Amino acid sequence: MSKPLTGPGRDGDPRRMEPGVDNRPVDDRPVAVAVAVEERVVTKPARTSAAAAFALAFGVAAFVCVLIVILSPVGLVLGIIGLILGVIGLRAARRVGITGKGVAIAGLVLSGLAIVISIAFAAGVVTVLNNDSAVDRIEQEVDKMRDTLPDNVEVPQP
């Protein structure tokens, strides 16, 4: 029978120390040692759905375009694309290992807002243009502004 392991580096130490075991002094009898095995679960990080990310990008672009009034038709088209990608992103986020539900929802909200604002702007423009008195007032204002412009404008030459 071989000698049992002893304390901190001394062969004749009457106390026997085992890492991870009760550190009470024991005699020289063999001791059964329980070995704890640490199991690590290695998982891949979840990926964000590309459709959800693009939905957010298109939603932001559509919202900015709608806020710049002259680009409202472009914002409408981008909003529709963002809305479609947002729905695809929500469906993709249901799968295991793919995230992006919040990103897809944000894209849907921004795209929806852009579409609603763009349609409201278009409806307002159509309403104003179909009203003859409103068109006459706009023409009068444009004529007033044209009358206030100077006839001769001198541009400095370099």
Side-chain angles (χ1 to χ4, degrees), residues 88-107:
I88 293 170
L90 272 178
R91 287 186 180 174
R94 291 183 194 165
R95 289 186 279 171
V96 177
I98 296 181
T99 61
K101 182 178 180 182
V103 175
I105 290 172

Side-chain angles (χ1 to χ4, degrees), residues 2-116:
S2 65
K3 254 187 177 178
L5 295 174
T6 57
R10 296 187 210 146
D11 286 335
D13 193 350
R15 294 179 303 137
R16 196 165 121 203
M17 309 280 275
E18 292 282 338
V21 178
D22 208 11
N23 287 334
R24 291 179 284 174
V26 295
D27 55 3
D28 286 339
R29 290 181 293 176
V31 175
V33 178
V35 178
V37 177
E38 181 179 333
E39 291 185 32
R40 290 186 182 185
V41 178
V42 179
T43 59
K44 293 181 188 177
R47 298 179 327 157
T48 302
S49 169
F54 279 116
L56 182 61
F58 275 94
V60 169
F63 192 70
V64 169
C65 285
V66 168
L67 292 180
I68 301 171
V69 178
I70 196 79
L71 296 176
S72 184
V74 174
L76 179 64
V77 172
L78 291 176
I80 292 170
I81 294 170
L83 200 67
I84 293 168
L85 287 173
V87 170
I88 293 170
L90 272 178
R91 287 186 180 174
R94 291 183 194 165
R95 289 186 279 171
V96 177
I98 296 181
T99 61
K101 182 178 180 182
V103 175
I105 290 172
L108 280 170
V109 168
L110 286 173
S111 296
L113 279 173
I115 290 170
V116 167

